[in-house]
Amino acid sequence: GENVEQHPSTLSVQEGDSAVIKCTYSDSASNYFPWYKQELGKGPQLIIDIRSNVGEKKDQRIAVTLNKTAKHFSLHITETQPEDSAVYFCALNSGYSTLTFGKGTMLLVSP
Amino acid sequence: ETGVTQSPTHLIKTRGQQVTLRCSSQSGHNTVSWYQQALGQGPQFIFQYYREEENGRGNFPPRFSGLQFPNYSSELNVNALELDDSALYLCASSPWDSQETQYFGPGTRLLVL
């Protein structure tokens, strides 16, 4: 099945810094790439997504970039805040409407 | 707008028992997907239901089964529980015209002893 590699597994930044998480994939048929934020004890929350017909999408402090040729996509968080601390998962659609997830990145933002 | 809800929040079972988990989809959503999330891992797709029919299945044995009801709510049933079934079970709902855009509930934490 589809494999999604997510890096880094942990990321520590100071408040106000930027954070970047990258995912690579192999199935060129995938055309939908969401990012989820999961806080302790909660379900994953969809924070941003991108489709293959665009290269970048931005929503306030978060942005996602997609390089379909190189088969990687990245989450960018600017001006990080302590409440951004959580586990972030990349995902992509495989088999039409099912999602395959990366293993997650634990982001810690220190005040 | 009501989000995805799941019950129960926590459950403890013993090996060999059977369990039923429940999910109510977000208002306006008619597709429900179930995922298993082991500790420290990303969610893994179990199956998806649309119009009360299974609409795709991941690499899980037949003892994992499901149902979807006319009001789009859904159940996940697991028979003959094994220790490795201990995990967070997540339900996600999506609209019919964008089934890959999935919104998750809070999950049910299952512990098998």
Side-chain angles (χ1 to χ4, degrees):
Chain A
E2 175 60 76
N3 192 36
V4 186
E5 296 287 333
Q6 183 171 346
H7 297 281
S9 55
T10 59
L11 180 58
S12 292
V13 299
Q14 292 289 320
E15 183 177 0
D17 287 351
S18 294
V20 181
I21 304 169
K22 182 176 176 178
C23 287
T24 58
Y25 63 99
S26 54
D27 185 2
S28 56
S30 298
N31 60 5
Y32 176 69
F33 307 88
W35 285 88
Y36 288 85
K37 174 184 180 182
Q38 188 172 26
E39 296 174 296
L40 199 61
K42 297 186 178 180
Q45 175 194 2
L46 178 64
I47 56 172
I48 196 167
D49 56 12
I50 192 169
R51 296 187 184 274
S52 58
N53 57 343
V54 298
E56 183 174 357
K57 184 176 178 181
K58 192 173 181 180
D59 183 4
Q60 299 182 356
R61 295 187 298 109
I62 60 173
V64 56
T65 58
L66 171 65
N67 185 326
K68 282 218 76 178
T69 304
K71 293 187 186 144
H72 64 74
F73 57 112
S74 300
L75 176 71
H76 305 254
I77 306 174
T78 58
E79 301 171 26
T80 54
Q81 301 167 3
E83 50 266 38
D84 294 330
S85 296
V87 179
Y88 290 82
F89 291 97
C90 65
L92 49 78
N93 63 330
S94 49
Y96 178 56
S97 61
T98 62
L99 295 179
T100 298
F101 284 79
K103 290 191 174 181
T105 296
M106 180 176 290
L107 174 65
L108 177 61
V109 181
S110 303
Chain B
E1 186 179 88
T2 307
V4 178
T5 60
Q6 292 187 243
S7 62
T9 55
H10 297 84
L11 204 51
I12 300 175
K13 291 285 188 178
T14 55
R15 197 170 44 181
Q17 285 190 311
Q18 177 265 344
V19 70
T20 297
L21 310 181
R22 295 178 174 82
C23 169
S24 291
S25 60
Q26 182 170 320
S27 176
H29 289 182
N30 58 10
T31 301
V32 172
S33 305
W34 286 93
Y35 291 80
Q36 179 194 67
Q37 186 177 24
L39 208 57
Q41 301 293 318
Q44 278 201 298
F45 175 71
I46 303 175
F47 42 56
Q48 183 180 84
Y49 277 84
Y50 171 62
R51 290 185 171 178
E52 302 175 52
E53 299 272 340
E54 190 177 283
N55 187 40
R57 187 179 183 93
N59 189 27
F60 280 81
R63 59 190 186 84
F64 286 78
S65 63
L67 284 173
Q68 186 180 32
F69 301 99
N71 66 353
Y72 309 129
S73 66
S74 177
E75 284 182 356
L76 164 65
N77 299 288
V78 187
N79 293 322
L81 283 167
E82 301 177 359
L83 298 180
D84 284 349
D85 295 333
S86 295
L88 180 67
Y89 288 85
L90 295 161
C91 168
S93 73
S94 47
W96 70 270
D97 58 349
S98 185
Q99 291 177 325
E100 69 277 10
T101 308
Q102 299 179 8
Y103 298 88
F104 285 84
T108 293
R109 175 74 62 186
L110 173 65
L111 178 61
V112 182
L113 300 176

